[in-house]
Amino acid sequence: MPKGYWIARVDVRDTERYKDYVAAAKPAFEKYGANFIARGGAFERLEGDVRARNVIIEFPSLQAAVDCYNSPEYQIAAAIRQEVADAEMVVVEGI
């Protein structure tokens, strides 16, 4: 079964409150088998618009990735993130 990946591009407006998001998201990530591939770190702009933070999270399957996002546990965290950061997020199926 192909893995699923969250790809998120984020500009954090409030770094202290963003820590609350990270803590609140942890139970959902643990429940759905998240494995962080990239979490912030250096990057090089090649084309298009960029955001300051780039995150790639691997899940056991596309369905697990979608279920994690839609879970009550993650939606609590998402509400915090949406207050303190601007982001684009997609879920993609691996090969």
Side-chain angles (χ1 to χ4, degrees):
M1 173 183 306
K3 294 185 179 189
Y5 295 86
W6 282 17
I7 300 173
R9 299 172 46 236
V10 184
D11 284 331
V12 177
R13 295 187 311 273
D14 183 337
T15 55
E16 287 304 309
R17 287 276 334 264
Y18 195 78
K19 292 175 187 176
D20 296 337
Y21 158 73
V22 171
K26 186 176 180 181
F29 292 149
E30 290 175 349
K31 180 177 179 179
Y32 290 93
N35 178 37
F36 284 82
I37 305 298
R39 192 177 205 172
F43 68 93
E44 181 92 16
R45 179 191 171 278
L46 300 176
E47 293 184 29
D49 296 332
V50 297
R51 291 201 181 265
R53 183 174 178 81
N54 300 283
V55 180
I56 302 171
I57 308 172
E58 179 184 73
F59 289 85
S61 67
L62 181 67
Q63 191 60 57
V66 171
D67 290 347
C68 181
Y69 182 83
N70 290 321
S71 71
E73 299 91 346
Y74 185 75
Q75 287 304 303
I76 291 167
I80 297 168
R81 180 184 41 78
Q82 291 163 356
E83 289 179 10
V84 302
D86 299 310
E88 290 93 30
M89 294 176 59
V90 297
V91 175
V92 297
E93 185 177 61
I95 53 171

